[in-house]
Amino acid sequence: MGTTVFERRIPQPSVIEHALGGTSHSTFWIDDLPEALKPSRPKLGGTVVADLVVVGGGYTGLWTALLAKERNPDAHIVLVEAKRVGWAASGRNGGFCEASLTHGDENGKARWPKEMDVLHRLGMENLDAIEASEAKFGMDFHFERTGQLAPAVEEHQVEWLRDWADEAASNGEAEDIVFLDEAAVQASVNSPTYLAGVWEKRTNGMLHPARLAAELARVVEERGVEIFEHSPVRRLETPGSTGAVSVVTDGGRVDAKHAVLATNVFPSLLKRNRLMTVPVYDYVLMTEPLSAEQLASIGWNDRQGIGDMANQFHYYRLSKDNRILFGGYDAIYNYGRKVRESYENRPESWQRLGSHFFTTFPQLEGLRFSHQWAGAIDTSTQFTAFFGTARDHRVAYAAGFTGLGVGSTRFAAETMLDLLERRENERTTLEMVRKRPLPFPPEPAAAIGINATRWSLDRADHNRGKRNVLLKTLDALGLGFDS
Ligand SMILES: Cc1cc2nc3c(=O)[nH]c(=O)nc-3n(C[C@H](O)[C@H](O)[C@H](O)COP(=O)(O)OP(=O)(O)OC[C@H]3O[C@@H](n4cnc5c(N)ncnc54)[C@H](O)[C@@H]3O)c2cc1C
């Protein structure tokens, strides 16, 4: 087996020790919110009557509330959140807001080849709408339409990038998907690990994750949506013929005509969805702000989001105040598919990320990491969200964005509202929306399958591995992953 660049160019241990010396274990994005954007909100108590009740205060739930108000400004909408708005994945992600609704073209082409043109267009429209929503609703979530840079860090990846750019050129996308050779990519972002790159200029925007959630909450409250926090919903009730649905917490209930479940990777309130997602833990570092000199040593004037080409990839980006967020690579599945705070503490993952960071940018030696955190990736067997309705169309759900939900949760919100209204349109007639993927198998098969896949991905990265090996491996495992 070969070695990867991160094993060949290891920084001095003292550099990493210094950088991680005073790092605080908390999510930078949430710490960075101004007080005005984190008002305290009441717990649900007594009985509240509404037209629509939304369970979950991440992007999926918040976009649902906002778009439902857009469709029907007089509707009474209530959102019930177990902890605080945006505390989970929506407040702690990388902030890559991608157009893709299918977790990348390759996954989409493998599963819904006939729908890819429509999915591609709907994804771009969705991203354009998110970009436009800052001005439309008076929000500020630091959106920058920078696109995304995919650097090759191993020789065999250069060829993939060439194929990608050639295919884009033959589809008339040469202006938006640009191949950069070694000199050009290093002139753009100066890392000695880069051998080539593809810059997709339009398909991605960068944003401040916690601000997006907090601003959505502010805007929906201004429009009359009631938000209750610290109110975990324990169950759904859909009594026989009344045509209503109730969500019940320890201290209260909401009786509504419709409910949207936006609970993502957390245990579903519907039994049928309990095995549909698993949490896979992802780890993140944030540096202190770079000085002008440090920034100049990298360049990065176009401020693209960056994701390298390995199966176990790193993602990194600049914040508005010129810190670098650096995450990914390790993806840890814990036996038993639980979401637990204790899984968020994994010093070896931050050590590894720190090492890979200084391999990528050795000129930044001396820089420190101010924050470290982790979060659960909302993994489904088709690597992108699934949709559906339950209880005689009174309830709609979408979950399982598999680490690519910053953009596609807005699309999911539109789709769930369509489904509740029984609309037949471009979204609801998609196979991706109509057909549910298979669930994960129960333990121990889930742990064996997921960990074997991770092992194969790592092996592939050490052995000129192809990116789509992920899909092949899951299918070959025969654990029913192939939908
Ligand atoms: C570390 C990390 C990095 C990521 N990076 C990116 C990225 O760069 N780009 C990208 O596109 N995606 C990324 N993702 C994925 C993205 O963050 C998610 O797909 C997206 O935030 C999902 O939003 P959501 O609203 O569906 O879920 P969440 O944000 O998880 O919200 C679900 C909410 O439901 C609430 N809830 C659950 N059960 C109940 C209940 N019974 N009662 C009441 N409330 C309940 C929870 O408390 C939670 O607030 C990343 C994820 C992580 C963890």
Side-chain angles (χ1 to χ4, degrees):
M1 281 227 292
T3 52
T4 69
V5 65
F6 302 103
E7 290 155 346
R8 292 191 298 274
R9 299 183 185 218
I10 301 174
Q12 289 298 319
S14 59
V15 173
I16 299 155
E17 210 173 295
H18 170 77
L20 285 169
T23 307
S24 82
H25 184 133
S26 63
T27 308
F28 167 77
W29 302 121
I30 294 174
D31 290 357
D32 191 49
L33 284 179
E35 285 305 315
L37 282 181
K38 26 185 183 184
S40 60
R41 299 186 171 96
K43 269 190 194 177
L44 178 65
T47 299
V48 178
V49 177
D51 295 300
L52 172 69
V53 58
V54 178
V55 184
Y59 301 144
T60 305
L62 292 161
W63 277 118
T64 302
L66 179 55
L67 297 171
K69 267 284 175 196
E70 288 285 286
R71 289 182 187 204
N72 183 359
D74 296 330
H76 183 207
I77 299 170
V78 173
L79 187 150
V80 186
E81 162 56 42
K83 292 192 177 178
R84 299 222 55 194
V85 158
W87 75 275
S90 297
R92 56 179 84 190
N93 61 72
F96 287 61
C97 187
E98 295 194 21
S100 177
L101 302 173
T102 57
H103 207 145
D105 273 3
E106 226 168 298
N107 188 40
K109 278 185 208 152
R111 294 177 191 282
W112 307 286
K114 291 191 201 127
E115 292 182 345
M116 273 315 278
D117 286 347
V118 178
L119 285 165
H120 195 257
R121 177 172 50 73
L122 291 174
M124 287 300 271
E125 286 169 8
N126 183 58
L127 177 58
D128 291 343
I130 294 173
E131 179 172 21
S133 61
E134 271 197 327
K136 180 172 178 186
F137 300 111
M139 299 196 262
D140 179 8
F141 46 84
H142 298 179
F143 190 91
E144 299 179 78
R145 188 80 175 245
T146 60
Q148 190 165 348
L149 178 70
V153 295
E154 306 290 347
E155 276 299 340
H156 61 271
Q157 297 166 358
V158 176
E159 196 189 314
W160 306 346
L161 292 181
R162 278 195 198 285
D163 291 349
W164 178 5
D166 289 349
E167 196 188 324
S170 64
N171 293 337
E173 296 173 313
E175 258 181 41
D176 291 340
I177 299 182
V178 182
F179 180 83
L180 305 173
D181 64 15
E182 185 167 348
V185 72
Q186 292 198 11
S188 176
V189 180
N190 183 13
S191 169
T193 61
Y194 293 177
L195 305 172
V198 160
W199 180 16
E200 289 181 281
K201 292 188 168 175
R202 297 292 304 158
T203 53
N204 178 53
M206 301 308 303
L207 54 77
H208 186 307
R211 265 186 169 268
L212 174 58
E215 285 283 64
L216 284 168
R218 179 180 64 77
V219 166
V220 297
E221 285 181 315
E222 282 169 10
R223 283 163 173 67
V225 173
E226 277 188 277
I227 301 183
F228 296 98
E229 293 187 323
H230 307 292
S231 307
V233 173
R234 303 296 181 197
R235 62 179 192 279
L236 281 180
E237 288 176 1
T238 40
S241 55
T242 63
V245 49
S246 305
V247 305
V248 182
T249 65
D250 292 337
R253 61 189 290 133
V254 183
D255 297 334
K257 290 186 196 128
H258 288 120
V260 160
L261 304 183
T263 56
N264 201 22
V265 76
F266 296 89
S268 178
L269 292 162
L270 292 171
K271 198 162 167 232
R272 71 172 73 168
N273 285 347
R274 295 268 157 86
L275 293 175
M276 296 299 278
T277 54
V278 294
V280 175
Y281 277 81
D282 186 36
Y283 298 83
V284 184
L285 288 173
M286 184 68 126
T287 71
E288 54 195 10
L290 272 62
S291 66
E293 234 175 23
Q294 285 167 324
L295 192 57
S297 75
I298 310 180
W300 212 343
N301 294 325
D302 296 311
R303 302 176 62 83
Q304 312 95 320
I306 301 181
D308 67 44
M309 291 294 291
N311 289 302
Q312 287 187 281
F313 67 99
H314 306 91
Y315 55 86
Y316 38 111
R317 59 158 300 177
L318 290 166
S319 64
K320 190 175 181 188
D321 62 349
N322 293 328
R323 297 162 187 268
I324 300 177
L325 175 147
F326 197 81
Y329 194 80
D330 275 347
I332 305 297
Y333 177 70
N334 299 284
Y335 189 96
R337 68 196 341 149
K338 296 263 184 326
V339 180
R340 277 209 184 123
E341 206 178 320
S342 60
Y343 297 152
E344 295 175 21
N345 188 12
R346 199 162 190 277
E348 63 265 46
S349 289
W350 292 309
Q351 287 277 337
R352 188 164 15 249
L353 279 175
S355 172
H356 295 185
F357 177 86
F358 288 110
T359 299
T360 306
F361 297 125
Q363 65 273 49
L364 295 181
E365 284 187 8
L367 190 67
R368 284 169 179 268
F369 298 108
S370 58
H371 293 73
Q372 61 187 28
W373 69 91
I377 298 283
D378 39 5
T379 310
S380 76
T381 59
Q382 63 183 16
F383 308 120
T384 192
F386 58 89
F387 305 82
T389 60
R391 314 275 175 103
D392 197 21
H393 263 83
R394 293 179 226 176
V395 179
Y397 57 82
F401 299 91
T402 319
L404 210 66
V406 174
S408 58
T409 42
R410 184 187 172 283
F411 173 84
E414 289 276 28
T415 305
M416 286 190 288
L417 293 171
D418 291 342
L419 289 171
L420 288 178
E421 292 171 18
R422 298 179 190 251
R423 283 197 203 181
E424 270 210 10
N425 60 20
E426 242 178 352
R427 285 184 287 262
T428 55
T429 51
L430 287 167
E431 190 187 333
M432 187 184 85
V433 170
R434 283 185 292 111
K435 203 174 149 200
R436 277 162 58 95
L438 289 169
F440 284 94
E443 297 291 18
I448 294 168
I450 293 163
N451 288 325
T453 305
R454 290 205 50 242
W455 178 83
S456 328
L457 293 177
D458 184 51
R459 210 176 141 80
D461 283 339
H462 285 81
N463 206 15
R464 305 172 60 81
K466 272 278 195 193
R467 241 171 126 69
N468 65 6
V469 75
L470 174 62
L471 298 173
K472 289 189 181 144
T473 315
L474 288 171
D475 293 345
L477 280 167
L479 286 166
F481 287 96
D482 187 5
S483 63

